[in-house]
């Protein structure tokens, strides 16, 4: 994403932080389809990568995580068990 677009989004939407979608992936956990999205802060920063994952046909079943320094750290500290049936 260009720096100009990021600046316009920040200005018009009055956002303090902006994340760009790096990739969206789909896999299966047993018979359930899981969608995993990886985001990056375009301005870098110490904690620049974050993960959002959810059961595709029930997005209310999603995990939680914090931004981390690397994609691997964001994936390894994500609370995947939150995807389980509630």
């Amino acid at each position: 994403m260009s720096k100009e677009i990021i600046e316009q989004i920040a200005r018009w939407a009055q956002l303090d932080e902006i994340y760009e979608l790096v990739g969206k992936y789909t896999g299966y956990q047993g018979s359930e389809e899981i969608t995993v999205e990886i985001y990056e802060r375009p301005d870098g920063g110490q904690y620049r990568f974050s993960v959002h994952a959810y059961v595709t046909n029930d997005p209310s079943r999603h995990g939680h995580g914090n931004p981390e320094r690397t994609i691997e750290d964001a994936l390894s500290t994500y609370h995947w068990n939150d995807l389980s049936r509630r």
Side-chain angles (χ1 to χ4, degrees):
M1 186 180 307
S2 77
K3 186 175 180 178
E4 180 181 316
I5 292 172
I6 292 167
E7 289 171 352
Q8 288 180 19
I9 292 170
R11 185 175 99 218
W12 290 106
Q14 299 178 353
L15 301 177
D16 296 324
E17 293 183 8
I18 296 175
Y19 284 82
E20 180 177 7
L21 180 63
V22 174
K24 185 174 183 176
Y25 308 91
T26 302
Y28 288 86
Q29 196 177 63
S31 62
E32 292 191 302
E33 184 177 87
I34 306 295
T35 299
V36 179
E37 300 170 344
I38 299 174
Y39 294 89
E40 178 180 12
R41 284 177 60 176
D43 62 352
Q46 184 175 2
Y47 301 105
R48 61 187 279 194
F49 295 101
S50 63
V51 172
H52 178 64
Y54 55 92
V55 176
T56 307
N57 67 352
D58 183 2
S60 69
R61 292 176 45 209
H62 57 86
H64 298 88
N66 294 318
E68 296 289 347
R69 295 173 193 250
T70 67
I71 292 173
E72 183 175 6
D73 288 346
L75 289 167
S76 69
T77 60
Y78 193 77
H79 296 235
W80 296 100
N81 57 327
D82 290 343
L83 297 172
S84 300
R85 290 200 181 277
R86 298 174 192 202

